[in-house]
Amino acid sequence: MTTVSVAVPRKGRPLEAVLDRVARRVDESSRIPTDSSTDVTALADSISSTLRYEKAITKGRQDAADDVYERLAAYSSLDDPTRPEYTLLRDDRDGRPRRIVFDSVTIPLGDIDLQLIGREEPFRALRTHDFNLGFDSADLVLEEVVGLREEPIERISDINARIDPRDTDVRVVGGLGDTVYHTLMGTPETCQRTDVETFDREFVEQYEGPLCISPRYERLVQAVLGTAATDGVTFQYPDDGREEEASIADVGLGIYLTMTGSTAREHGLELGERLFPSETVLMESIAEESDAISFVEELLVGESQESALAV
């Protein structure tokens, strides 16, 4: 039996996207024995529902009769690796309460055991060669290792082409389609400040002035727009504890993650171009390859048409 370990997020939408993808691809694959004892769909639903419940408790939206340690003991099973394990993590809210998050589970795939292991920073776990495969946000790759150039980044091939092999051997394989977008947004007055009729990258190229973004996204925005477009732009950051869209409305122009844009419109903002899709991606360390790793990689991504990054 060969074990392939994959680093995954410990909680939230990215982990749910991974679990959904694993369950669906295992169910669809003709190369996995149908008599497997693990119901992967039920397993994925169980993990997701448990973590949603725990999130609600942590956020004060749900009450629990048992304390966190009793719940942790009830969820976990040390005797059966095909049942999920959980662990405790300090939440970032005031008081830093303990929150139950995903730790690990093993999914039999015929001759291969797929082991999903929770990590706070899966991308960095690949960079240090703790894993050969892992799922994390595409944003982290842009924030940490992608070289900045005058031209913008628009697709996965652009990302991989700008990773310095002397810096890391991690490459992006494909996305899961759990897509939200880094979207250009601005006030109607700001949208009229250039001769460009469309509210898109070309608008930013002609624009000079403040641009409101979250501090962690400064390098990402430069990579996505290209350094030529950000020449003449001054980055500003939202005030602590204030909604990003509210700060963007004060500044006049900004970039923030959005799905529907409803919150932006509530602040009187117009939505421009969807600059770059933020989604969970499968990454590989190209330093080590094997038939088992290739099988898991193909199973988890394959020829997926769901990823906005693949376009």
Side-chain angles (χ1 to χ4, degrees), residues 10 34-35 129 192 212 216 264 281 301:
R10 288 198 180 277
T34 56
D35 59 351
H129 297 275
Q192 306 300 318
C212 185
R216 60 171 292 194
V281 294
V301 175

Side-chain angles (χ1 to χ4, degrees), residues 113-177:
D113 277 347
L114 172 61
Q115 190 176 47
L116 304 180
I117 299 179
R119 285 289 182 270
E120 274 305 286
E121 299 174 332
F123 173 51
R124 290 170 186 150
L126 264 72
R127 294 193 69 187
T128 56
H129 297 275
D130 293 335
F131 294 84
N132 298 114
L133 295 173
F135 287 96
D136 213 332
S137 170
D139 293 351
L140 288 177
V141 185
L142 295 177
E143 291 164 24
E144 292 201 4
V145 300
V146 166
L148 300 180
R149 299 180 186 173
E150 290 189 358
E151 303 80 14
I153 284 179
E154 299 182 89
R155 61 192 71 218
I156 284 179
S157 59
D158 295 339
I159 297 176
N160 288 334
R162 295 197 195 181
I163 296 177
D164 187 340
R166 296 169 296 183
D167 185 19
T168 181
D169 54 19
V170 177
R171 298 293 183 272
V172 178
V173 178
L176 298 188

